[in-house]
Amino acid sequence: MVRPPARRTRPHRRPAPRAEPGVRTVEICVPHPYCRAVPGEDYSSLDPPPSHKRRRWSLTAAPPGDGWVEAHLHRPDCAQAHGGSLLTDREALAALADPDTAAACPICRPDRVLRGARPNS
């Protein structure tokens, strides 16, 4: 009989909560733009900001050698976004409106998502 190796507890992870027999608890982490409400679940304890106040776009300094703009606008999951400030949809649209100030990241292309956004939302 082959036995799997014993599991070790990792100090950087918290132990999983105890569940009913036959029920497995899975803990995940997903950025808020990709989450959907599960029907039948109570989310009254969560108080997310209204959609017009959510800060989900990242504005970072342009890479060295890019003489065209001062900053690049990124999607929340873009690998090129390091640091910078978070913007709402309205602020991101305003930043992209001035071509001398900010440009859309050529990797994640946030302008494609913002193209469908309403300016007053």
Side-chain angles (χ1 to χ4, degrees):
M1 172 182 207
V2 177
R3 293 186 181 174
R7 291 187 176 190
R8 296 182 193 168
T9 58
R10 296 180 184 163
H12 64 281
R13 292 186 180 230
R14 58 190 159 151
R18 296 283 178 186
E20 298 174 23
V23 176
R24 192 173 88 174
T25 302
V26 177
E27 196 172 314
I28 62 170
C29 180
V30 179
H32 70 83
Y34 302 107
C35 293
R36 301 269 191 255
V38 176
E41 290 292 324
D42 179 25
Y43 295 103
S44 61
S45 65
L46 302 177
D47 190 19
S51 61
H52 65 279
K53 291 187 177 180
R54 290 187 191 138
R55 298 186 174 277
R56 62 182 191 154
W57 306 102
S58 179
L59 189 67
T60 62
D66 184 1
W68 296 100
V69 293
E70 298 173 11
H72 281 181
L73 185 70
H74 302 274
R75 290 185 185 194
D77 58 346
C78 181
Q80 300 296 319
H82 298 290
S85 58
L86 295 176
L87 306 177
T88 63
D89 288 357
R90 180 180 285 186
E91 293 168 338
L93 286 168
L96 288 177
D98 184 10
D100 295 331
T101 303
C105 170
I107 308 292
C108 66
R109 300 298 307 267
D111 54 330
R112 292 184 180 178
V113 176
L114 288 167
R115 189 178 302 152
R118 294 176 290 164
N120 58 0
S121 61

